Amino acid sequence: MYKKYSSKAALLAGLALASLTSSAYAAVVCGPAANLSIPANIDGVYLNLVTGATGTAGGGTAGWDLNAYQTGTPASLFLFWPTTPANSFGGVAAGTVYSVLNAGDPIGPGQTYSVSSGSGGAANFVNLTGTTGDKLLGVRFFNEATSAINFGWMRLNTTATSGFPATIVQYCYQNDGTQILAGNTGGPVNTAPTLTYSPTTAAGVSFPAGPAGAANSSIAISSAGAVGTGQSAVTGCSITGAGAASFGAVTTTPANGVFNTATTSGAISLSCTRGASAATASLSCTETATPTVAGSPFTRTWALTCPAAVVTNVAPVGAVAPTTLTAGTGSVTPTITTPAQGAGSTVFSCSIPATAPSNFAIASNASQTLTNAAPAAIGLTCAPQAAATQATLTCTQTATPGPNPANATAVVTCPAALAGVSPGTVSGTTINLPVFSLPSTGSSRSLSFTSTGNASVLSCTTTGAGFSVAPNPLNLATGVPGSVTVSYTGTTVGTFTGTLTCTSNTAGGPFVYPLGVVVSGAVVSVPTLGQGGLWLLILGAMGLGLLSISAGRRD
């Protein structure tokens, strides 16, 4: 889509009008048009930047320099420029996309200008229409009053996302054809300050000598010559090179690295870690001037040197921390609060009162020599009592070279005896179940247990065919004995063995008992006569006797 427009007309009239609106001397000229609403239609507004004349058609607006209008689907803000004289018009752009400038950005012969219009599509205007608010657009145009290309800026107030409502709030230009800074209305020219570094980039930075460990240095920054909103920023500092790992993070003061009329001094703060050998690297920072100057942004580079550590013999200092033993055993590991240097060492000798009944004792590493190696754990024991007890671990320190550090001390706590289960029958005792004879099919025996301190749960298992245990688990209340019953069931003669194992969820156990049972064969019983059977026998004998008598009489 292309707009038709008329060529520039009435040049002589424009020259006459220019005498009323601009100075014969080099100057920043603003207006005369301001707060000019852009109609939301295909015609929009035509504007002569020198005379301030406006219109809805190019033919009716002599010497027009810019046409702002609405078109497209969806409709949005577009710009249209004259083509005569050639290469005399346009807006500052990156490629064909119009740029939104920052205050102080240069607008002059060194910038790129675009004359993209509706035919270029809405994408070329996205920076002007994408957000709501004021935006600075750099422009160049042919000043018919001086017959020269002038450079200026225009403040547009647009509304996302189409650009409308849109207003040309203000515009200014340099009337002698030289560069103008965005936002400059003819007041003092903004100038970026000149920064001076100490040490200079040529001298580099050498860190101070000293023992192994951290060392600090800095680069002082002084600023001079800032005018208006001019500024110079030191940013993006980084350290590279073979020895970069020996250097710490880089920080700047002020934190944002910006120097202006208000901030005239600062520093780049550096650190390194002195080690066995010297380390070298390079520090690079970016210095950016706003408004820009020739060569900006600059890269400032310093050579960094972190010297090797100066070796001196310093004895380490140890410390011990309070600890609580678990079930009467534990340990405490010394810490090094002052590291050793060179051949420095310290003999760390510890003791603890062995007062009865807790009987604290050192089980291992009562004495050791501290260097920069990891210290060994000091093993400790005690005899837990009904209530927790404490003793003080004291460690003397004999330093080489001296002087000797103060004793290291720590409180050691022996906790109260833990709750646990005790058996009525000593673990390991063989439990023989009562002998039984077939056809009886089983035998059993009970074992008692008591929980002290807290309630406990006893879980038991058996091995060996035919053996079982109940109840399982056995819940034991504090101080109340309970029992489990071990049973054997079988139908075979012989001697049988197994194992009962019981464990507790508290202290005590496991309790292990060998099991045994003897099963015998069936016993043959001889029947006996009861009283009724005896009478039957007597009566039977009497009957036989009567029969015998009767037979005799017949004979």
Side-chain angles (χ1 to χ4, degrees), residues 45-347:
V45 61
Y46 289 79
L47 172 63
N48 184 315
L49 295 173
V50 176
T51 66
T54 62
T56 58
T61 309
W64 68 275
D65 301 298
L66 170 71
N67 173 211
Y69 64 101
Q70 182 190 65
T71 191
T73 304
S76 61
L77 175 66
F78 287 85
L79 302 177
F80 190 57
W81 310 88
T83 58
T84 305
N87 300 317
S88 300
F89 297 89
V92 174
T96 59
V97 179
Y98 291 102
S99 301
V100 171
L101 304 181
N102 295 312
D105 285 351
I107 307 165
Q111 277 58 60
T112 300
Y113 295 86
S114 174
V115 291
S116 293
S117 59
S119 61
N124 294 325
F125 299 85
V126 65
N127 292 330
L128 302 177
T129 61
T131 59
T132 298
D134 284 355
K135 303 165 185 68
L136 292 175
L137 172 68
V139 298
R140 72 177 178 182
F141 65 98
F142 185 79
N143 187 332
E144 60 267 34
T146 61
S147 297
I149 294 175
N150 284 180
F151 300 95
W153 56 266
M154 179 176 293
R155 188 182 302 277
L156 298 173
N157 186 286
T158 61
T159 308
T161 59
S162 69
F164 288 91
T167 303
I168 300 174
V169 179
Q170 181 187 22
Y171 66 87
C172 297
Y173 60 92
Q174 185 76 37
N175 72 349
D176 64 349
T178 60
Q179 165 181 291
I180 190 174
L181 301 180
N184 183 13
T185 59
V189 176
N190 298 318
T191 304
T194 299
L195 302 185
T196 302
Y197 301 91
S198 180
T200 64
T201 55
V205 180
S206 293
F207 288 77
N216 298 314
S217 189
S218 64
I219 301 169
I221 305 174
S222 59
S223 167
V227 178
T229 60
Q231 67 176 44
S232 292
V234 178
T235 59
C237 295
S238 62
I239 296 176
T240 58
S246 296
F247 296 86
V250 182
T251 59
T252 58
T253 304
N256 60 3
V258 173
F259 297 85
N260 47 34
T261 55
T263 303
T264 58
S265 63
I268 302 172
S269 297
L270 304 166
S271 65
C272 78
T273 301
R274 291 184 291 252
S277 58
T280 59
S282 293
L283 166 69
S284 295
C285 297
T286 300
E287 178 188 322
T288 305
T290 304
T292 191
V293 297
S296 178
F298 307 98
T299 299
R300 308 300 189 190
T301 303
W302 291 262
L304 305 180
T305 302
C306 186
V310 176
V311 178
T312 56
N313 295 328
V314 176
V317 177
V320 285
T323 188
T324 298
L325 307 184
T326 301
T329 62
S331 65
V332 59
T333 301
T335 56
I336 305 297
T337 58
T338 299
Q341 295 182 27
S345 63
T346 298
V347 177

